[in-house]
Amino acid sequence: MPATKLEAPTMRPAQANFGAEVPMARLAGRRLIDVGMAACGLILLAPLLFLIACAIVAESRGPILFSQLRLGQGGRPFRIYKFRKFDESRAANGLAITLRRDSRMTRVGRLLQATKLDELPQLWNVLTGDMTIVGPRPESLAYADCFTDRWADLLKHTPGIFGPNQVIFRHEDGIFSATLDPDRFYRSIMFPLKAAIDLEYFDRHTYMTDTKCFIGALLAIFGVSPTRYLYLLRPPAQTRQPDLTRSVRSA
């Protein structure tokens, strides 16, 4: 879907002043951590990045990186980068979401999808300030119209590489039913569920919970059952927190 035909949702005044709601020292501290982790990650993982790039070039024609406009903080579009998983001849036609056994994926792409290594180039997005290490995942402009009413509050936050939904929905591509329209299922079920989880977490998150979320996401990538660590993601609050495990099971 051409990006020029899509419009980001209009921000309400309360959302536009997000920077004023968080102390500048805290914002600066988070930014310093992001830059340090992203820079170290790109340096330490440079050999792996090179090997992945070589594998992509060796298997199929096309660019090494895939880029797409996503919704950033305040509803401002930015260009996200990933390693290319799709065959160029089939990538132009299809959904804005990736399904399990997606026919558009190459063999290298399937490996990248299973290990989430396709997300590594987003460390560059963190360096440029468009993303953070821990934040709600940025949505494609194809789903910009979903950010209405209470879901628009998600756009107060800088999007990130890791978040609670990366722990809970480690294998999101396998949730979609073969008998239901994937786009409709995502809009009516998956998006509201993930948005509710993100809002519950990021409206109260701390350095400590972000650290636990980051570790939990890494554990999930390596196959550790994510539901065992959901309690680690819950920030301290006086009110009772919703049972995220029950929400996932009932979805």
Side-chain angles (χ1 to χ4, degrees):
M1 182 179 293
T4 55
K5 295 183 180 180
L6 295 167
E7 294 182 359
T10 302
M11 299 299 295
R12 298 196 295 265
Q15 297 165 339
N17 295 325
F18 171 65
E21 298 174 3
V22 181
M24 291 302 297
R26 184 178 177 185
L27 290 175
R30 288 188 180 276
R31 180 61 186 150
L32 184 62
I33 293 173
D34 282 342
V35 171
M37 291 184 67
C40 289
L42 287 172
I43 293 172
L44 295 175
L45 296 174
L48 177 59
L49 297 174
F50 177 74
L51 289 176
I52 294 174
C54 290
I56 294 173
V57 171
E59 183 182 19
S60 61
R61 293 182 179 181
I64 295 172
L65 297 178
F66 163 80
S67 67
Q68 184 185 58
L69 289 177
R70 295 288 181 94
L71 285 173
Q73 186 181 25
R76 293 181 295 273
F78 73 97
R79 189 163 294 279
I80 195 173
Y81 295 97
K82 297 185 177 187
F83 279 121
R84 179 173 59 85
K85 297 179 296 186
F86 292 165
D87 187 299
E88 278 290 285
S89 62
R90 289 175 287 182
N93 300 317
L95 299 167
I97 52 180
T98 302
L99 305 178
R100 182 170 294 181
R101 301 183 182 88
D102 199 308
S103 61
R104 298 170 293 174
M105 274 197 286
T106 63
R107 286 176 297 177
V108 173
R110 294 186 189 282
L111 176 61
L112 296 177
Q113 174 75 3
T115 58
K116 298 301 181 183
L117 292 176
D118 61 309
E119 312 284 358
L120 288 179
Q122 288 162 44
L123 291 172
W124 175 256
N125 287 118
V126 175
L127 278 181
T128 60
D130 290 323
M131 294 180 66
T132 183
I133 296 295
V134 178
R137 286 297 295 170
E139 286 288 354
S140 165
L141 294 187
Y143 298 109
D145 58 303
C146 294
F147 289 90
T148 57
D149 301 325
R150 62 177 297 215
W151 307 138
D153 288 340
L154 268 179
L155 298 176
K156 294 190 300 183
H157 305 284
T158 304
I161 299 177
F162 299 102
N165 283 312
Q166 281 59 62
V167 180
I168 299 170
F169 299 109
R170 167 64 180 88
H171 299 289
E172 180 183 335
D173 55 355
I175 296 177
F176 294 88
S177 170
T179 60
L180 299 176
D181 176 63
D183 183 74
R184 184 177 180 181
F185 179 79
Y186 187 83
R187 289 175 177 276
S188 60
I189 303 296
M190 291 302 300
F191 179 85
L193 179 58
K194 294 199 299 181
I197 292 171
D198 274 340
L199 280 177
E200 183 66 36
Y201 176 80
F202 287 106
D203 281 349
R204 298 184 177 90
H205 70 137
T206 64
Y207 288 118
M208 181 60 69
T209 59
D210 282 354
T211 301
K212 294 175 180 178
C213 184
F214 175 75
I215 295 173
L218 292 180
L219 290 173
I221 290 174
F222 287 104
V224 179
S225 178
T227 54
R228 298 178 185 177
Y229 300 93
L230 292 184
Y231 75 95
L232 295 176
L233 307 182
R234 296 178 180 175
Q238 294 181 350
T239 58
R240 181 181 179 182
Q241 301 296 313
D243 189 341
L244 300 183
T245 306
R246 182 177 302 172
S247 300
V248 174
R249 290 175 178 172
S250 62

